Amino acid sequence: MRAKEAFDRTRALLQKHHEWFKGVLPLIASENVPSPAVREALTCDFGNRYAEGLPGERVYAGCIYIDQVELLAIDLAKRLFKAEHANVQPISGVVANLAMYSALSNPGDLMMCLAIPCGGHISMGKKKFGGTAGAVHGLEIEYLPFDERRMNVDVDAAAKKIRELKPKLVLFGGSVFLFPHPVKELSEVIKEAGAYVTYDAAHVAGLIAGGQFQDPLREGAEVMTCSTHKTLPGPQHGMILCRRELADAINRAVFPGMVSNHHLHAVAAVAVALAEMLEFGREYAAQVVRNAKALGQALHEQGFAVLCPEHGFTASHQVVVDITKYGDGGTLEGKLEKAGIILNRNLLPWDIREGRHYKNPGGIRIGTSEVTRLGMKEGEMGEIAEFLKRVVIDGEALERVAADVAEFRRDYQRVHYAFESATQAYEYVKIQ
Ligand code: DSN
């Protein structure tokens, strides 16, 4: 392909993606749609600059406004999460975790966290699986015992294992995260064992900020890492909140440890998103959780095996469905995509034991953050459950469902819970 052709094709594909997303149901639990103001910040000139170091101590000129914006982002993060210290420089949640590992531990130390089939994230993984903690920082990993029926850490078994193994770090949180983790219940045990209490809030940061989930920093967590684009509806970026005494170690681990350029346009977008969360976060996060509970109930009534029915399905933005009666998560994910329903396959805690694999696992994971941002409420969750049933249970023609999904989506084109909505949620922005 000639250069100009490739140029035109790339730009056309970007526009096609935007058109496509106007007519689908975005249900991936780790994604969200940012406000137009966040998108505007992402296109600003900060993205072409360098600002190594902390505000006021840069080793580059040209940072007058960049410094002020980063200080605003830090201040907003501290206020929103009631944290003693915030570092807004990690460029992703994985980088935030890696910086935390590097600040608090040495290669060869032991960390306890969730196994990936139980909701752990790849950044917590063992070396033999290529996970960041093991393969990049050289941590030994032991799993926190997990109660599969409750989809949560088994407190008694975990306390016993922590006392026995005396890890250097215990990390709560993960990518399948239905219920608050027992930070309060285990903090003392962890500290007595000589370990740091840490918490990966990538998935639930927006719910924490909105006061609708647990509050890990008040429950004993000493460090909380997160990405800024899941329930927290900002740009793709990362952040670390921690106790004052750990601030220097965290700052040094981030720079010069992990980043040179910390994506200054994303820091600006984080500041905008955090300001919007201060204003609208409580209302938004409450609706996200109400929607997830309503979606769990509606799917259950449609005949789906939604996990944890006896616990109200969820207390977060996610529901997880055991889909094995109808096929595997990988195949169904593909079918649903053709019907305009975008979600992802997910391992269930018992999948590996039962011979399933991460590519074709037994579960699907569904998130309600993005559809909530588009203005959907409990009633619309019933309609989403019906669309899923038409594809998965009834086996209806995918094109027919896709057309109905697109029709349904016509009324949900603007981002809510934001200061202004000058453009539509998925409008392609041209600046040339
Ligand atoms: N693995 C991603 C997810 O939860 O979808 C997050 O990095």
Side-chain angles (χ1 to χ4, degrees):
M1 199 183 288
R2 297 157 73 100
K4 182 62 168 69
E5 227 178 292
F7 173 85
D8 290 338
R9 179 146 171 74
T10 305
R11 300 189 70 239
L13 288 169
L14 296 180
Q15 293 183 39
K16 277 190 167 173
H17 173 87
H18 282 253
E19 277 309 309
W20 183 39
F21 259 66
K22 287 177 185 172
V24 300
L25 288 169
L27 295 166
I28 291 184
S30 49
E31 297 180 356
N32 212 330
V33 61
S35 69
V38 166
R39 291 175 65 202
E40 183 182 318
L42 281 173
T43 65
C44 82
D45 180 65
F46 281 20
N48 311 312
R49 306 297 146 206
Y50 266 95
E52 285 182 352
L54 290 167
E57 305 169 9
R58 311 290 197 191
V59 289
Y60 286 81
C63 298
I64 296 171
Y65 301 103
I66 291 167
D67 276 13
Q68 293 179 52
V69 169
E70 186 165 333
L71 287 171
L72 272 171
I74 291 169
D75 181 55
L76 286 162
K78 286 165 66 176
R79 279 167 64 189
L80 202 53
F81 294 100
K82 299 187 251 354
E84 291 175 357
H85 178 70
N87 184 303
V88 296
Q89 297 188 342
I91 58 168
S92 70
V94 170
V95 169
N97 276 350
L98 193 48
M100 175 181 72
Y101 303 152
S102 152
L104 306 183
S105 67
N106 290 308
D109 284 342
L110 177 68
M111 177 168 86
M112 290 178 68
C113 57
L114 286 181
I116 287 170
C118 299
H121 184 246
I122 50 164
S123 61
M124 308 168 184
K126 292 190 183 200
K127 182 171 181 172
K128 68 174 174 182
F129 301 131
T132 314
V136 182
H137 189 55
L139 286 172
E140 297 297 326
I141 305 296
E142 282 285 340
Y143 298 134
L144 287 166
F146 195 70
D147 180 338
E148 293 177 358
R149 213 173 40 81
R150 294 181 163 271
M151 289 296 285
N152 210 333
V153 176
D154 178 330
V155 175
D156 293 338
K160 186 163 176 282
K161 196 165 173 182
I162 291 163
R163 286 192 187 101
E164 270 166 27
L165 298 182
K166 301 206 181 320
K168 190 71 191 271
L169 298 174
V170 174
L171 179 56
F172 293 99
S175 292
V176 171
F177 205 167
L178 298 176
F179 300 101
H181 282 171
V183 181
K184 203 167 44 220
E185 293 81 348
L186 288 169
S187 275
E188 280 311 304
V189 175
I190 296 167
K191 287 175 187 165
E192 276 166 27
Y196 288 107
V197 185
T198 65
Y199 188 100
D200 181 338
H203 264 273
V204 293
L207 307 183
I208 294 170
Q212 306 298 324
F213 205 63
Q214 65 191 140
D215 188 353
L217 293 173
R218 245 104 345 250
E219 294 172 21
E222 298 164 280
V223 183
M224 182 178 111
T225 61
C226 63
S227 51
T228 55
H229 52 269
K230 297 185 171 77
T231 52
L232 190 67
Q236 292 195 335
H237 197 71
M239 199 159 61
I240 306 179
L241 296 311
C242 67
R243 292 201 286 118
R244 190 174 295 110
E245 305 83 78
L246 299 173
D248 286 345
I250 291 288
N251 286 348
R252 271 198 312 276
V254 176
F255 175 83
M258 300 293 152
V259 297
S260 163
N261 183 327
H262 55 282
H263 299 182
L264 309 166
H265 55 315
V267 172
V270 165
V272 171
L274 294 176
E276 288 179 335
M277 281 300 285
L278 265 180
E279 184 77 11
F280 306 104
R282 187 160 286 275
E283 194 195 341
Y284 152 71
Q287 191 62 52
V288 168
V289 176
R290 280 199 297 271
N291 282 352
K293 286 175 187 287
L295 182 60
Q297 181 64 38
L299 287 166
H300 176 76
E301 285 167 12
Q302 293 285 9
F304 284 99
V306 186
L307 299 195
C308 301
E310 63 279 18
H311 303 294
F313 308 106
T314 184
S316 73
H317 60 303
Q318 305 180 355
V319 293
V320 178
V321 181
D322 179 338
I323 209 79
T324 47
K325 196 165 150 196
Y326 307 104
D328 69 82
T331 307
L332 288 168
E333 176 194 285
K335 270 190 168 178
L336 287 161
E337 184 187 82
K338 289 198 176 78
I341 301 168
I342 311 292
L343 48 69
N344 75 293
R345 71 192 84 180
N346 223 102
L347 278 170
L348 301 171
W350 46 89
D351 269 349
I352 304 293
R353 219 164 51 224
E354 296 184 357
R356 285 185 289 272
H357 187 254
Y358 76 95
K359 284 201 171 144
N360 297 96
I364 53 172
R365 185 186 63 169
I366 312 174
T368 56
S369 323
E370 191 160 346
V371 289
T372 304
R373 300 269 296 160
L374 295 172
M376 296 191 199
K377 299 224 159 78
E378 290 93 319
E380 284 79 11
M381 298 304 111
E383 306 213 33
I384 292 176
E386 173 75 25
F387 285 128
L388 274 146
K389 173 181 172 278
R390 288 171 58 186
V391 174
V392 177
I393 300 181
D394 302 343
E396 212 179 302
L398 302 177
E399 317 75 64
R400 201 162 63 203
V401 182
D404 290 349
V405 165
E407 180 60 30
F408 170 72
R409 263 300 311 276
R410 283 159 71 102
D411 293 339
Y412 307 97
Q413 294 297 336
R414 294 211 167 260
V415 176
H416 294 240
Y417 312 103
F419 281 116
E420 46 83 17
S421 261
T423 56
Q424 291 192 344
Y426 304 98
E427 198 172 316
Y428 184 80
V429 180
K430 279 193 170 167
I431 58 170
Q432 69 150 19

